[in-house]
Amino acid sequence: MQDKPLRGIRILEFAGIGPGPFCGMLLSDLGADVVRIDRPGVTPQGVGSVTGRGRRSVALDLKSAADVETALKLIESADALFEGFRPGVMERMGLGPDQVLARNPAVVYGRMTGWGQEGPLSQAAGHDLNYIAISGALGAMGRPGLPPAPPLNLVGDYGGGAMFLAMGLLAGLFRAKTTGEGQVIDAAMSDGSALLMAMFHDLKGMGLWQDQRGSNFLDGAAPFYDTYKCADGKYISIGSIEPQFYTVMLEKTGLSEDPEFAAQMNPGKWPDMKSKLAHVIKGKSRDEWCEIMEGTDVCFAPVLSLGEAPSHPHNIARGTFVEFDGQLHPAPAPRFRDTPNRPDRPAPKPGEHTDEVLGEWISPA
């Protein structure tokens, strides 16, 4: 059995909301010793047993000069740190990149914001929906004639934010281990969500994508790439893009002989084709369609709720969800061969490990 890949890496997380805790969870799932610096007696807003898992907690009052000095001493022993405050907040506390790198030139300093460290919006308040609005991502999501559909906060906070912050930290750690030089990472959700749209910029440049919501083959306009309501009010998803998969879908739905479906990539035919397909799908329950389509090359899956997902046979077989600390958790991802695929420790109470961590990380004077 191999150990987790980041075992032995020390990372400080300055407690925040949204993408910061998720990034801390990802890094701790990979084996890093992530220590969260909390305000005394204050649990970070919105951080529960899942996104809070895997860390230890040190309580420090960063308005206190003595506790700021303690934070700097912890940083001297850290490989990386990350924070999610507005630009300038860490500098005002005496914990900005220049102050930190003076104490530990090899440390990797991650900064997570919505708008970035610079630019006309950098000091403005915002949330996921705003960041993906200016990146072009939000405007591409939803049905034609209806307002753009908020995609939860997956595209900005977590995809465009936390994942890019984690990737930046890992790249910085690799460089620091090979050169001894630290790095400062400016991870902005507006930047990251723009980059997530790379393929759609490619398609637009090739003339294969209209800059109009709900009119393209991947945004719900096409009959072969959408969700459909079943007889029981539940939904299924169909993604039969390639011709060979489209052929199987037509066979399974009994539409192979309908001449209208011969022109798969004719957008002018899509509304009528979708209406016919929707009528067929509504004739059977979700479970009946699972019996017919699941496991075939239709490119099919039932649309499951949060409560249903852990019971799906594929998720059970792969251990996609695990029981941990008395609650069902999404398991760590990605997986590594011969490596445990479970969280290491439950979410901490603020300050729970203060003495323990200070004793380990800070050398006696």
Side-chain angles (χ1 to χ4, degrees):
M1 186 68 72
Q2 297 183 13
D3 214 340
K4 293 185 176 182
L6 294 186
R7 189 72 73 208
I9 298 295
R10 289 177 166 181
I11 299 175
L12 283 177
E13 170 188 352
F14 286 82
I17 62 174
F22 186 73
C23 180
M25 184 201 75
L26 293 175
L27 297 169
S28 68
D29 282 349
L30 293 174
D33 181 7
V34 180
V35 171
R36 193 177 70 209
I37 296 182
D38 287 314
R39 292 168 56 196
V42 178
T43 300
Q45 180 183 353
V47 179
S49 60
V50 178
T51 54
R53 73 190 185 197
R55 278 85 117 192
R56 294 187 287 176
S57 170
V58 169
L60 295 177
D61 179 2
L62 297 179
K63 295 180 181 179
S64 157
D67 279 8
V68 168
E69 179 59 27
T70 299
L72 287 167
K73 287 179 179 177
L74 288 169
I75 287 166
E76 289 176 0
S77 295
D79 297 294
L81 66 92
F82 63 93
E83 53 91 4
F85 302 120
R86 287 199 206 189
V89 171
M90 290 290 278
E91 284 84 349
R92 290 193 291 274
M93 291 190 294
L95 293 167
D98 291 340
Q99 295 105 317
V100 163
L101 287 165
R103 298 288 283 263
N104 182 353
V107 79
V108 180
Y109 192 120
R111 317 199 78 175
M112 178 80 264
T113 60
W115 307 114
Q117 296 296 312
E118 305 171 326
L121 294 176
S122 62
Q123 290 297 327
H127 278 299
D128 177 289
L129 196 66
N130 312 123
Y131 311 138
I132 70 173
I134 72 159
S135 72
L138 180 61
M141 299 177 189
R143 301 294 183 180
L146 296 176
L152 301 180
N153 52 332
L154 300 175
V155 179
D157 278 355
Y158 302 119
M163 299 294 281
F164 280 100
L165 175 60
M167 183 174 69
L169 287 166
L170 294 176
L173 284 165
F174 180 81
R175 181 177 184 273
K177 293 297 182 185
T178 56
T179 68
E181 297 178 6
Q183 183 57 272
V184 181
I185 297 136
D186 178 0
M189 289 174 251
S190 54
D191 294 345
S193 60
L195 186 53
L196 289 176
M197 296 294 288
M199 184 185 79
F200 303 99
H201 286 281
D202 261 349
L203 292 172
K204 186 172 180 291
M206 297 173 190
L208 301 175
W209 193 266
Q210 296 185 64
D211 207 359
Q212 183 177 345
R213 189 165 55 257
S215 61
N216 300 282
F217 72 102
L218 289 176
D219 63 6
F224 51 82
Y225 197 86
D226 206 350
T227 58
Y228 289 91
K229 191 174 185 178
C230 304
D232 54 5
K234 298 178 181 179
Y235 288 82
I236 61 171
S237 66
I238 290 175
S240 311
I241 301 173
E242 292 81 0
Q244 67 272 28
F245 303 149
Y246 182 72
T247 297
V248 179
M249 186 270 287
L250 295 181
E251 291 171 358
K252 298 294 183 182
T253 55
L255 292 167
S256 296
E257 303 304 317
D258 190 322
E260 195 162 28
F261 284 84
Q264 179 187 358
M265 290 297 179
N266 182 350
K269 299 283 187 180
W270 285 352
D272 289 341
M273 292 161 67
K274 179 173 280 193
S275 179
K276 287 185 178 181
L277 181 56
H279 179 73
V280 170
I281 298 298
K282 202 165 184 180
K284 292 180 170 63
S285 70
R286 189 181 71 181
D287 286 349
E288 288 177 305
W289 284 117
C290 285
E291 286 291 326
I292 294 169
M293 293 187 174
E294 197 161 24
T296 74
D297 278 355
V298 169
C299 300
F300 164 92
V303 178
L304 303 180
S305 69
L306 287 175
E308 291 176 314
S311 299
H312 190 278
H314 185 79
N315 292 334
I316 292 172
R318 286 187 56 79
T320 302
F321 297 87
V322 296
E323 288 281 351
F324 181 73
D325 193 32
Q327 183 178 337
L328 200 62
H329 285 234
R335 303 169 190 222
F336 298 85
R337 190 171 66 175
D338 300 327
T339 301
N341 196 46
R342 292 181 61 82
D344 285 334
R345 62 174 76 237
K349 297 180 178 65
E352 181 179 347
H353 306 98
T354 300
D355 293 341
E356 178 181 301
V357 172
L358 296 185
E360 290 177 16
W361 285 38
I362 298 177
S363 302

